[in-house]
Amino acid sequence: MLILGIETSCDETSAAVVEETAVERPWAIRSNVIASQIPIHREWGGVVPELASRQHIRDICGVVDRALGDARATWGDLGAIAVTQGPGLVGSLLVGVAFAKASAAAAGLPLVAVHHLAGHIESLVLQNGELPLPAVVLVVSGGHTSLYLVPQPGEYRLLSRTRDDAAGEAYDKVAKLLGLGYPGGPVIDRLAGRGNDRAVALPTTRLTHADRNAPTLKGDLDFSFSGLKTAVLRYVRKKGTGVIFPGGPRGLPPEGQGENDSRPLFTDNEIADICASFQRVVVTALLDRLFDAARRYQAKSIGIAGGVSANSRLRAELQEHGRLREIPTFLPSLALSTDNAAMIAAAGLRKFRAGLIAPADLNADASLAL
Ligand code: KG4
Ligand code: ZN
């Protein structure tokens, strides 16, 4: 069977055709088309929701046509349509949900509503085949840092999450204050490779108290990244005695100083040191909690998915820690790390096989829980 997946939760318009197969892996990607809006939002230093939803409207028809064409499939070949219902930007989600509902009705196909994070988790299965269960999976992106236990296929139990910024959000904010542009993850990752990761002393946050906002969770596996971001900001303000390039900022000027000097605040090497030190703290925080959870829940495998799973240090250290502790670890390919519709189609196929079909009055839900 073929399923069409549609993803419009943030700043990527994506459509994919995924096939159910019985051999080796449960699903095979027939096409996965992604129209990224990054160049549009870069100018503003982050995603502008109104621009995002307008661009989804412009792109959705062409992206779906292309996904069907690449898969050499027609509407008549499909068995179902899966769409991201939430969480995400409501205006963006609505474009995908409205398109999926209308095409399901027109083509007489069943509709499946998918949680965006279930899609990220299933990207691991799409890439690697079924994981040894129970698995602990960390979904780490621009909007989420959430740790799940997967006791059996299609069941996702939330163990912990960030209390403030998501890890990807911290990357984006630190990149912004260093004048490195949007999105921050890839550029910090690249510069960190040249820096000394012990050059700047930055705090690690370890939460032990219960979270009043999530009484059902224990809290000691929770994440927090806003303190780290603030520590980088303080370091930059305190250390910087010069001011930034007018045409190419390399850092924030100290409070009260203007931007019209021509001396860079930091050298390229210093910027690389800040990036490397920041990245070391983020990766350590993520992996410590992840392996703690694996031990506590006697996991048979560990996975990391979501945009930040593209990070080179996180990927390398996950595999290294897994080898040392003799537990298999899994990652999506780089293309399946960031938002894409193939993962939504895969999660949709799982729900479809469990008989979970969406009603015709399905609505987008910006803060849908998983
Ligand atoms: O999953 P995703 O495409 O969208 C969300 O659902 O948020 O993740 C995007 C996030 C951005 O914050 C971006 O900075 C981060 O993933 N990211 C990275 C890397 N590549 C993307 N973070 C760290 N290292 C990377 N190589
Ligand atoms: Zn995502």
Side-chain angles (χ1 to χ4, degrees):
M1 186 189 107
L2 296 182
I3 188 166
L4 172 70
I6 294 174
E7 152 66 37
T8 62
S9 68
C10 189
D11 59 346
E12 260 94 35
T13 316
S14 181
V17 176
V18 166
E19 184 178 4
E20 195 174 32
T21 61
V23 252
E24 210 177 317
R25 294 179 194 179
W27 313 302
I29 301 173
R30 291 272 291 261
S31 66
N32 191 17
V33 178
I34 302 165
S36 173
Q37 302 178 0
I38 285 177
I40 294 167
H41 300 293
R42 183 171 281 142
E43 195 181 330
W44 306 95
V47 178
V48 184
E50 184 61 24
L51 293 180
S53 46
R54 284 164 192 258
Q55 194 61 34
H56 284 305
I57 292 173
R58 288 187 199 102
D59 287 341
I60 185 93
C61 293
V63 166
V64 170
D65 269 348
R66 175 74 184 272
L68 289 170
D70 285 0
R72 297 181 192 287
T74 64
W75 290 99
D77 299 325
L78 300 174
I81 299 177
V83 65
T84 306
Q85 184 194 2
L89 303 169
V90 74
S92 294
L93 289 165
L94 275 169
V95 177
V97 168
F99 187 94
K101 274 164 50 174
S103 37
L109 290 167
L111 181 68
V112 186
V114 173
H115 190 287
H116 183 75
L117 298 194
H120 276 301
I121 294 171
E122 297 300 347
S123 74
L124 292 166
V125 179
L126 194 53
Q127 176 74 30
N128 303 288
E130 296 289 0
L131 310 185
L133 300 180
V136 289
V137 176
L138 175 67
V139 182
V140 62
S141 70
H144 302 271
T145 303
S146 301
L147 191 51
Y148 285 91
L149 178 71
V150 184
Q152 52 189 336
E155 190 183 331
Y156 320 104
R157 206 177 298 159
L158 182 66
L159 299 178
S160 73
R161 77 240 181 303
T162 181
R163 301 232 186 145
D164 38 61
D165 292 352
E169 187 179 357
Y171 267 94
D172 295 338
K173 287 178 175 170
V174 165
K176 192 169 187 176
L177 73 90
L178 294 174
L180 299 173
Y182 174 85
V187 57
I188 289 184
D189 191 3
R190 185 164 45 76
L191 295 176
R194 301 206 302 260
N196 169 4
D197 67 6
R198 301 271 169 182
V200 183
L202 295 169
T204 42
T205 315
R206 180 100 226 193
L207 300 167
T208 49
H209 57 290
D211 182 353
R212 274 181 289 123
N213 297 318
T216 53
L217 301 176
K218 267 191 90 182
D220 56 341
L221 290 170
D222 284 1
F223 303 90
S224 166
F225 293 104
S226 75
L228 174 62
K229 168 202 67 192
T230 307
V232 176
L233 176 65
R234 284 221 189 86
Y235 176 84
V236 168
R237 288 212 192 275
K238 199 164 136 214
K239 191 89 195 326
T241 48
V243 266
I244 55 177
F245 274 135
R250 306 294 296 176
L252 279 185
E255 220 132 25
Q257 274 189 260
E259 293 185 9
N260 40 15
D261 200 310
S262 60
R263 204 150 49 89
L265 184 51
F266 290 107
T267 64
D268 286 352
N269 284 342
E270 285 168 328
I271 292 278
D273 286 348
I274 298 171
C275 291
S277 304
F278 166 77
Q279 180 150 292
R280 180 176 68 80
V281 174
V282 174
V283 168
T284 306
L286 294 174
L287 291 180
D288 279 358
R289 280 347 159 268
L290 185 52
F291 280 86
D292 277 1
R295 203 176 318 117
R296 196 178 299 176
Y297 293 92
Q298 297 176 353
K300 295 209 168 64
S301 66
I302 293 182
I304 304 186
V308 181
S309 72
N311 185 266
S312 60
R313 180 164 185 157
L314 187 60
R315 294 177 87 87
E317 287 198 11
L318 172 70
Q319 285 158 345
E320 179 62 24
H321 282 45
R323 252 193 309 278
L324 287 174
R325 300 189 202 178
E326 296 180 338
I327 179 163
T329 57
F330 296 94
L331 287 158
S333 66
L334 290 181
L336 291 179
S337 293
T338 42
D339 290 349
N340 67 87
M343 67 186 195
I344 301 304
L349 259 171
R350 184 146 354 248
K351 281 187 86 171
F352 180 74
R353 284 301 170 212
L356 299 168
I357 305 298
D361 64 350
L362 177 75
N363 201 358
D365 184 345
S367 49
L368 188 66
L370 178 68

